[in-house]
Amino acid sequence: MVSAALTACAGPYQYYEGTGLHDATAAEVAGGWENVEGTRVELRKDGTALLEKLDGQDFDFDDGWRLSGTGTWQLTDDDGGQVVRLALTTRTRVERRFPVTVAGPSAPEPPSTYSWFFYVDRDQHDGLVLFFRYGNPDIGNMYVMTRETGS
């Protein structure tokens, strides 16, 4: 009975184990990435990163903040597949995804530093796609970043 109660609260990662992709290189991952919501992430070859309007992942997405700043990134690989670990180390701006109608004590303060874990996958044209899950894990929402299009 206790075991069942503990595993029921295992967190959102209990639902997803990765893409199984193991052949992406750091050079292939480096570059500009964007999301339809106006998010932009620049993963530089030297391991540094620029972030603009990046939402929180998992349940943090529901808080509605969007962070901009600088940080670091690294491509890692485990049994489930490759993951880009992105860390915001210096926050330069905070925005809200939607207007906050009531500024109450229940609204959490946006973090000054934050870490994301983007799963690495390939699209139908063999190009890379980065994504993380957000919100309730039973719903399966995906925050997808695609290669930045040229201006």
Side-chain angles (χ1 to χ4, degrees):
M1 184 74 105
V2 172
S3 175
L6 290 175
T7 57
C9 298
Y13 292 108
Q14 71 183 345
Y15 294 98
Y16 192 74
E17 296 188 22
T19 63
L21 185 75
H22 298 282
D23 66 350
T25 64
E28 189 179 13
V29 172
W33 296 89
E34 62 188 359
N35 178 285
V36 296
E37 298 291 324
T39 299
R40 184 177 181 283
V41 175
E42 178 72 28
L43 303 176
R44 296 177 173 162
K45 291 181 182 181
D46 66 359
T48 60
L50 291 174
L51 299 76
E52 294 179 30
K53 301 179 184 178
L54 188 54
D55 296 285
Q57 71 181 81
D58 300 325
F59 291 109
D60 292 337
F61 183 85
D62 297 335
D63 293 336
W65 46 256
R66 309 185 87 201
L67 303 177
S68 296
T70 59
T72 60
W73 73 277
Q74 118 181 63
L75 178 65
T76 63
D77 197 349
D78 63 24
D79 291 342
Q82 292 175 294
V83 174
V84 171
R85 297 177 186 278
L86 177 61
L88 174 74
T89 55
T90 304
R91 184 180 80 185
T92 57
R93 189 172 68 244
V94 176
E95 296 177 38
R96 292 282 173 186
R97 187 174 53 257
F98 46 81
V100 177
T101 56
V102 178
S106 64
E109 179 67 25
S112 57
T113 61
Y114 193 78
S115 294
W116 292 264
F117 301 95
F118 286 91
Y119 294 105
V120 181
D121 203 1
R122 293 202 182 273
D123 64 17
Q124 65 273 19
H125 303 291
D126 207 31
L128 288 184
V129 175
L130 306 179
F131 69 93
F132 61 76
R133 304 288 182 156
Y134 69 90
N136 184 333
D138 291 328
I139 296 172
N141 292 322
M142 290 177 38
Y143 192 93
V144 179
M145 302 287 293
T146 57
R147 187 60 72 184
E148 187 174 53
T149 57
S151 352

